[in-house]
Each structure stands twice: as structure tokens, then as C-alpha cells.
Amino acid sequence: MSTEDPPSQANTVVIGAGAVGCSVAYHLTELGAEDVTVIDQGPLPVTGGSSVHAPGIIFQTSPSKIQTKAAHYTSRLLSDAGVYNEVGGIELARSEERMDFLRRRKEWAVSYGLPEPQLLSPEEVTEHLPLVNEDEILGGYYSPTDGRVDGISALQWYISESSADFYGNIEVTDLDVSGGEIQTVETDKGRIDCGRCVIATNNWGYQTGQMAGLDLPIAPVEHQYVVTEPMEELSDAGFSVGDNTTGLDVPGERSIAEYMSEAPHRPVGRDQDHSLYFRTHGDSLGMGSYNHETLSVDPEEMGKNSEERQASVRGFTEEHWTQPTHRNRDKSAKQAFDELLPASQDLDYEVTENGIFVFTPDGMPAVGETAQVDNLWTALAIWWTHSGGYGRILAEWMENGTPRLPSGPVDTGGIHVRRFEPHAGEKDYFVDRGAKRYEQVYSIVEPRWQPDDHRRLRTSPFYHQEKELGAEFYQSGGWESPQYYEYNEDLVDEYEDQIPEQDGWQGINRSPIEAAEHLHTREKVSMFDMTTFSSIMVSGEGSGEFLQQVCSNDMDIDVGQVRYSLLLNEGGGILADITVVRLDDEEYMVTTGGGNSPGIHGGWLEEHAPETVSVHIEEGAKSTIGLWGPKSRLLLQRCTDADVTDNGFSYFSAKRMYIGEVPVIALRVSYVGELGWELWTPTEYGQRLWETLWEAGQDLDVRPMGGGALSSMRLEKGFRLWGTDIDTDSNPFEAELPFAVDMDTDYIGKEALESAKADGIDNHITPLTLDDSSDIMLSGRPVLKDDEAIGYVQASNYGYTIGESIAYTYVPSEYAEAGTSVQVLCEGETYDATVRDEPLFDPGREKILR
């Protein structure tokens, strides 16, 4: 740690010396980065950010694999550093619904490799946590490697162990961006010219981003924590309050830092039914609450340290502790704690605070290089729980081009800072969505839950027709996307014998209409709104050569030819799967999914394009209809003079043509495994395109089809979905996509693929079908062999055409052979299943090539 003024130049500047910034700096230097400078507006190590007012509890288990993996890495790193108390963590159930949820917790833990997760009886809970009122609980979930990090000691360890230079009491006043690239970090102590910069300011993330012209959707929120006076029931614990911060510069109330540094001697606990958590602080008890209305903080008004308070701590609001202000909870925090921990009922509090932390609109971190400013990276919306892991992931990404942990590559689609939609940076939007995520922190969120605020932000030209047809809209990337249509309710009776009922958790927010749309499309013809999918136009001198450098497949294709390919990172992980259409000698259309694809995948292509090549991301510029089913050719031929016969319009080819008066780029491709086309047209023509096809197909019983049917149909055919079956933690050989890889051409990631192939591919994706159940499995649930986890469910649905429940999983090679018997653990039930060859539907491709 340095006490001098910062340098005038550094290769890397990390802004923020809290849990995340220190972790990033530590891991960068561990990987060999030199000349790393870390600065913070507060004193070191007690900066005044959330890292030093937080109680440091680490519960590792999450439905998200990357969150669980990042948390586990954090716990191991800090345990080895000697700043982690591995006392275990117990999550309590005070309702049957929560007990079911805890069973899910155990299943996720098994899937993602956490050691020895256990379900406990009430008696077993109170053996670990004798302060808990046994009569109030139904049981618990125990993770023995959960615990608590000593925040101040951990920051001191990072600073002492890293070769980076750390500077406190340095205020960043501006970020100088020129030519689309970060140039200088300006501070009140001078300028620091830099090659790259990391924003790790968490609560101040929005303000820091604004200095570079970025609207980062980082919403600060208050939540409450108290520490009781010493308790006789905890008198066996050690006590060192008063000595923990001796010699340290502590902004605001020193007692907060003192008590947060006091170690627990019993497991940390959570009562999620009432949005509460707790731990011991020596002989005192700490109690935290999300059980109050959301207390959002204006992201532009975070402020600074003062003698009276830490910058990220607000005054305790007693009404939120004693009154039930959370709209989904009928008891206040005080009342619920009094019932659960009766010994705390009449105690005074030594420490009270409303501490601040942050949420993004989807509740996940914002990590990676920004799209707008080269070499400007973010590591935001990260708690102590995941800080070590994300510091390692980002450092690997920055130094080696591949985000990874020691356990292997990780999927960054759900955490990438580029995933946010164009509207996400509007302050009212992200503050409201952040407030909702706060509200849901300990809530049981149903499968396929949809928000009810900030809707109809983005609608396709077909929206009004879809609404008239009774579309049930799901929001994706701000788009309103039909999941199914009430118009098709009559089909449920027609196909009743092929649609098994789905009960319990798996059946929530599902409709049998989705199944009926699936079966109808297999027999007749349907129209699917693909407007959320993205087209990226690549043109100019050297376009073909450029695409060859970034695409894993051979891009030597003729005009009018379509080719499926992958984009890979330097480690061979799958950044995207794309369809490339050659429209002219130096003009190509690249199509990919919606959601976060435009920002992540389109931005990646823009970055790598040479000056002679234009990359134009057409998010929302085209509206698209998927016309699929055995009668699709008959319908299409009625609407065009173009030859759409198999000889005149072969599979995986494209044409510019007219549908009525509407100009389209038609691709003969199908994501459902049936004869069909994707019809792309400028948005202003979209409504007429829908009307033309709809009117021409009435006697053919043309129907609208939603995303539910798309999901089940693509799984029957074995078509991959980026972010679900394939992502940056799998390579093309593991994903069984060798046809999308040409080892005779050169492209990003090829060297890594050659090494992987030479080492041998040990993991493979494969479909399973349940032996004697029609239940739909849920993602993240363990796949077992001889009671040992060998994988987990990546994607699942019922195959209404083949009449079997399908689950896709990656398993070690020795279990990937068709006929292998396995089990799937889901919702506390063990299902027998069998590994199958793919595709499960139409293996001879007779349907799609007819």
C-alpha cells in the first residue's frame, strides 16, 4: 500500500478498493499483469463502501451456476488467506413452500459441486443454532462450507499480497475518453494516463460510468442491520470489540467497523420466509433485514465519507424495523425475529445501520469490457459472496481473453455488461427494476415469472394482430414476445390425448396451448414472430475474409448460400451461434438471437472488424416471421412469384423476393425441424407481411405460434440455444457441433480447439428421455449415476411429437453412449432416464428437406 500521490501513468487503473476492486487487482497481478494502480475515495482499507459495513455472510448456493461457482471460489480463496470463518450456513423453512425451495437448493448444490449439502430436521437445526425456536421451523438446508468473511482483514490481505499499488483518499473527478478508448483517469491528485481501466465502484457505479458517457444501470438500495448488546446465551464466545480497528482510519461511526470485524462462532442463518438473516458477532447477535419496502437511493446522490457516517451507510429507520412495510410480508422484521430468536426480543442494539448495496435490472452482476469505450471494464453489482470469483474471472478475461475460474471456462452471457438493452440505462427504469430485484431477494420466484412494470417498451409490427389473437406476452430484452395464443385454445381439445398434464412446480405458468401449437405446426403451418432476433449486416471490402477470421466454419460460400457457424473466444468457448447469408460479393447478413445477443455478439463483431468492413447491428430494423410446417411451401407459393420448390429454393439457401408487395430476404432454414422459411423485411413492411400470409393461409388452417412451442420443438430436433445449451463454458466438440467447425481455415479460437481435440474431449452434450414419466424436468437439476452427480439439466421440455420428456445435459464421455441408464433428481423426486442418440425427431431429415 502506498501513501504517496498516485502516479501519472499506469498500465491498468482500478477504481475502487473494496472487495471487488481489490480482488481484480490481486488476480491481475497473480496472472502476471504489471503496473496496476488501485485508487479509492476513502481511506484504506476502511474505504466507506459497502465492503466494510457488510456483515460478510457467504451463502454459496444459487440457481445460477456461475454465481455458485464464483461464491465457492471466493470461500476457498479467503479461507486459504485466513480471513474466512467456515462456520457453515443454514437456511430455515417456516413454510411448506420454503421447505420445497430448500430441496431445490440442495439439488442446485449437488449439480454445481458444492461439498456435502444437507437437509436438516428442526431438531438438527437447533443443534447447530440453539437460539432458534424449534417450534417455528419445519427444517433447514445446511451447507457446511458457507460462512463469513472478515471484510477489513480480507482487504488488508489483498493489499499486502498483491504487487499492485494502492492509494486511498483519491477522488476520481473525470474519465477522459478519446477515439472511443479510455485515455486518462482524472483525480483530485492529478491525472493518471492508462492503457485500461476497471470500474469497481459498486454503489457509485452509475456516477463513475457517467464520467465516461455511459449509462450503467446500477441501482443503490438501503437495507437494515442491527447488532445486539452482549447476550448471556453467547457468553462462551470470544470478544474483541474495541480492538478490531485499532490504528485504522475509520470514516463515520467506528462501532460499525468494530462489530463487523467480530467473528461468528456458530453457523450463519437465513429466514427467507421473512426476508431475514443473522449471525453472531462474538457474544452479540447480528440481524439483517430485507423485510421492508424498497428504500432506493438516487444513484447520483451517493455522496462521500464524513466524520458522521460512512458514505454507503444511511441512518437507521426504525419504522422499517418495527412495522411491516414489505408488501409481500405480513410481519415486521422485529416481530419475525422475536418469534424465531426469542432471546433477542428485549435486547438493546449496540449498532444499527441502513447499509447500501446495488442491483441491476435483472439482479445479476455487470462484468466485462464496455461496448462504447474500448479498454474500459466493469466489475459491478457484486457482493462479498462472489467477489473473489468475479475478480478472478475478470482478470483472466482481461489478461488471457477467456473468462474462467480454475475449475474451467465460465458462461458470461448472464453477467456481461453488454447484455443490457438500449433502454436499461434510463434512471427511472433501472431504479424501478432494481427495487423489484431487492423485493425478490428472498422471495420464491415462480418459473417463467414476468414483471408487470415497464412493459410494451418494444413491440413488433405484428403486436396488435397478436394481441387480438390473445397472445400471452413474455418480456425478453424489453420486447413483448408471444409465449402462446388463446386463439389456439380449440387445438387443446383436438390434441388432448397427446398433451400430458404438468402438475406441481414444473407446471406453474405453463399452458397446454403451447403443446397444441407444437403439434399443429408439425401437421400444418404456423407463423412465429422472430422480430426479437437480430440481423447484423456485414459489408465492404474484405467482408468475406473478415468473417472467415471470426467464424469457426468455412465461409467460402456462394451468393445465396446460408451457413451455420459459431463465434469463439480465444479459449474456444462458444460466444454465439450464428447464421451467415451471403447476399452479394461483399455483402453478408448475420443472424443471431434476441435478448443480449445484439450487444454481446454484434459488439464483438464490430470490435474485430477492419476499417474496410462495415458492421451494422440492425436490432429492431427488420421484422421477421418464421413460416414453418409441412404446408408452409403451399402457403408461401400463393404469395410470391419466386420459385420456392425444393429444386428452386434448396435447404440452407436464401433469396431476395417479394411476398405480395413486401420485399423480403427469405432464408430456407427452420429452428423447429419442419419445412419452412425465415422471412426478413424492413420493419415498416412487417404488418403487411403478416396480413398477406395470414389471409392467404386461412383455408390451410394457418395459426400463430409462440415461444413455448418453439422450445419443445427445437429440443425434439436437438437444435442448440445459446445461453442455455451452449455458451462460453463449452467448446464445439463438447457441444456436438463438429459440422460447424472447419479445422482447415484460421479463426479466433482455433488454436484452443486444436489443443482440446489433441487432449481428448471428455464431456459431451446428450439428450435424455425419462423412462416412465411425462414430467418436465427443470434446469440446474442433477443428473446422477450410481448416486453421484455426473451433470445437470441444461434444457428440458416435453416432446409432444415423440411422446417423451426430454432433458439435455453434458456428461463425461463414459456415460454419453446411447442406452446408458441414469437418474434425474428434480423437486425431491428421482426419475429414471436413458441417454439417447440425437436427434430424437426426424433423424433422416425427411421433414425439413421435403
Side-chain angles (χ1 to χ4, degrees), residues 147-264:
R148 167 265 185 181
V149 57
D150 182 341
I152 294 175
S153 294
L155 297 178
Q156 289 174 312
W157 179 80
Y158 276 131
I159 292 170
S160 65
E161 293 299 313
S162 172
S163 60
D165 294 318
F166 292 79
Y167 300 86
N169 298 309
I170 306 291
E171 182 182 351
V172 175
T173 58
D174 202 4
L175 297 177
D176 181 14
V177 176
S178 178
E181 188 172 4
I182 187 69
Q183 303 289 337
T184 302
V185 177
E186 297 187 16
T187 80
D188 61 348
K189 300 290 180 60
R191 296 163 54 89
I192 311 174
D193 297 330
C194 60
R196 58 188 183 181
C197 177
V198 180
I199 298 176
T201 51
N202 234 32
N203 296 337
W204 293 265
Y206 176 77
Q207 288 177 284
T208 313
Q210 289 283 289
M211 296 178 186
L214 304 179
D215 296 322
L216 298 174
I218 308 299
V221 183
E222 298 178 37
H223 96 293
Q224 297 191 302
Y225 197 81
V226 304
V227 182
T228 70
E229 63 183 320
M231 300 176 63
E232 184 178 346
E233 294 86 349
L234 301 176
S235 58
D236 58 324
F239 179 79
S240 57
V241 170
D243 300 325
N244 292 320
T245 62
T246 300
L248 298 179
D249 185 358
V250 177
E253 186 181 343
R254 184 175 289 268
S255 62
I256 293 176
E258 279 288 333
Y259 273 94
M260 294 309 160
S261 296
E262 195 74 4

Side-chain angles (χ1 to χ4, degrees), residues 472 481-485 514 517 528 705-712 797:
E472 177 67 21
S481 301
Q483 182 73 359
Y484 61 87
Y485 295 82
E514 300 169 39
E517 291 176 0
F528 179 78
M705 170 193 137
L710 186 77
S711 171
S712 55
N797 214 313

Side-chain angles (χ1 to χ4, degrees), residues 774-796:
S774 59
D775 289 353
I776 295 175
M777 300 294 93
L778 295 170
S779 62
R781 306 311 173 90
V783 176
L784 310 173
K785 182 67 177 179
D786 299 327
D787 295 325
E788 294 291 328
I790 59 172
Y792 60 92
V793 175
Q794 302 277 154
S796 60

Side-chain angles (χ1 to χ4, degrees), residues 430-611:
F430 73 74
V431 168
D432 287 351
R433 282 293 169 89
K436 185 65 178 180
R437 293 300 174 180
Y438 173 90
E439 184 181 287
Q440 291 179 326
V441 165
Y442 282 174
S443 298
I444 299 175
V445 181
E446 295 178 343
R448 294 165 294 280
W449 169 85
Q450 290 290 298
D452 56 13
D453 64 335
H454 297 283
R455 297 299 297 263
R456 297 180 299 282
L457 282 166
R458 310 170 86 181
T459 59
S460 81
F462 323 132
Y463 176 77
H464 294 293
Q465 285 101 327
E466 292 167 342
K467 194 172 181 180
E468 289 175 2
L469 293 168
E472 177 67 21
F473 290 104
Y474 278 19
Q475 191 177 76
S476 173
W479 290 99
E480 298 293 340
S481 301
Q483 182 73 359
Y484 61 87
Y485 295 82
E486 293 291 343
Y487 177 86
N488 294 323
E489 190 171 13
D490 64 304
L491 295 175
V492 175
D493 292 336
E494 181 178 339
Y495 295 111
E496 183 178 11
D497 61 336
Q498 295 173 259
I499 306 175
E501 290 187 11
Q502 296 295 331
D503 299 320
W505 193 249
Q506 295 101 310
I508 292 177
N509 294 326
R510 287 188 181 274
S511 171
I513 297 174
E514 300 169 39
E517 291 176 0
H518 171 136
L519 292 163
H520 173 85
T521 306
R522 290 271 185 247
E523 292 185 359
K524 295 182 181 178
V525 58
S526 295
M527 294 164 55
F528 179 78
D529 182 357
M530 293 181 60
T531 301
T532 61
F533 287 55
S534 300
S535 57
I536 303 167
M537 304 304 294
V538 179
S539 60
E541 182 182 349
S543 297
E545 291 82 356
F546 161 63
L547 287 172
Q548 185 61 79
Q549 292 167 8
V550 296
C551 291
S552 64
N553 215 339
D554 183 6
M555 286 296 108
D556 184 13
I557 56 178
D558 297 328
V559 173
Q561 194 172 355
V562 178
R563 182 146 293 170
Y564 178 80
S565 184
L566 306 171
L567 305 180
L568 308 177
N569 62 23
E570 286 84 347
I574 302 172
L575 278 170
D577 65 334
I578 59 174
T579 300
V580 180
V581 187
R582 188 169 188 179
L583 299 174
D584 210 332
D585 288 346
E586 298 285 3
E587 183 184 13
Y588 297 80
M589 184 171 79
V590 177
T591 72
T592 184
N596 55 20
S597 292
I600 297 177
H601 307 145
W604 192 83
L605 289 173
E606 283 183 319
E607 280 181 4
H608 288 82
E611 291 184 1

